[in-house]
Amino acid sequence: HALCSSSEQVGMCLGVAIHDTSQVLGSAMSYKEIFDDEVALKVAAITKLTRNLGLAIAIPGLTYMHAKEQSKKEDDAEKPVIGESISGLNTFKKYVPSFLVAFIGMASFRSTGDFFLGSDVEAYQATMDFIGSDLSKYALGTAMAGVGLSTSASSLKGVGWRPFAVGASGALVVGGTGFTIASLV
């Protein structure tokens, strides 16, 4: 809040700098509650969902390119060479992770709901208020508790300091990138 001068910058910084979608929305919701700033929440959500949509294109494309490169390196004639197109369910599953299909499905589901509820402004507002204010707080709290409760402190005991240093370095790079992009807005 002290480093970003506008609501758009705060939302952009949160959407770019935080990796997990639920954490972006959780931090943006907290910011909204503390500073009464709906714009920062909306910009953070749009920024993060735009990043996620980019992954819907990048992940299958990069997977395909990697598999194609690997097939070129293999000299075994029995292995089939990957063709120029993705065909068949098994090939589709190989290149497109199930979480990506779920993300696109839920985005489509939400867009369909917006389309059908959009004509009735009161029903739309009541539904969005329930989902955005009431339901999402409990769902986010439950999800965060599930992650926290499944983490064992004893599993971190013998890891050493290096993974934490790498994580801190990564967080500084991503946070710095988010702040830089938000400053350009």
Side-chain angles (χ1 to χ4, degrees):
H1 177 74
L3 300 175
C4 298
S5 61
S6 71
S7 298
E8 289 82 6
Q9 287 180 334
V10 170
M12 183 80 70
C13 192
L14 291 172
V16 171
I18 301 174
H19 171 68
D20 186 64
T21 304
S22 64
Q23 292 174 355
V24 169
L25 296 177
S27 61
M29 286 171 61
S30 296
Y31 185 87
K32 176 191 166 250
E33 294 293 323
I34 293 169
F35 297 104
D36 193 30
D37 191 349
E38 184 79 24
V39 173
L41 171 63
K42 289 179 179 180
V43 171
I46 290 169
T47 301
K48 181 58 184 170
L49 293 177
T50 302
R51 284 180 57 204
N52 289 352
L53 192 57
L55 290 175
I57 297 165
I59 290 172
L62 291 172
T63 303
Y64 178 75
M65 288 172 28
H66 175 73
K68 190 173 179 181
E69 186 67 30
Q70 290 298 319
S71 71
K72 286 181 183 178
K73 290 180 181 179
E74 295 175 357
D75 294 327
D76 190 357
E78 294 179 343
K79 297 200 178 219
V81 176
I82 297 173
E84 292 298 317
S85 65
I86 298 176
S87 61
L89 184 59
N90 287 334
T91 307
F92 180 80
K93 286 181 181 179
K94 181 177 179 181
Y95 295 114
V96 182
S98 58
F99 78 88
L100 192 58
V101 174
F103 171 75
I104 293 170
M106 291 306 290
S108 300
F109 179 69
R110 168 65 197 265
S111 296
T112 303
D114 287 349
F115 176 76
F116 287 113
L117 287 175
S119 60
D120 186 358
V121 176
E122 289 180 18
Y124 181 83
Q125 188 63 44
T127 304
M128 292 302 114
D129 285 347
F130 172 71
I131 292 171
S133 296
D134 302 328
L135 188 62
S136 66
K137 288 180 185 176
Y138 296 114
L140 181 62
T142 303
M144 298 303 270
V147 170
L149 293 172
S150 66
T151 303
S152 171
S154 63
S155 67
L156 303 175
K157 201 175 212 177
V159 176
W161 63 272
R162 287 188 178 120
F164 295 104
V166 170
S169 299
L172 287 174
V173 169
V174 171
T177 303
F179 178 71
T180 303
I181 289 173
S183 298
L184 296 174
V185 173

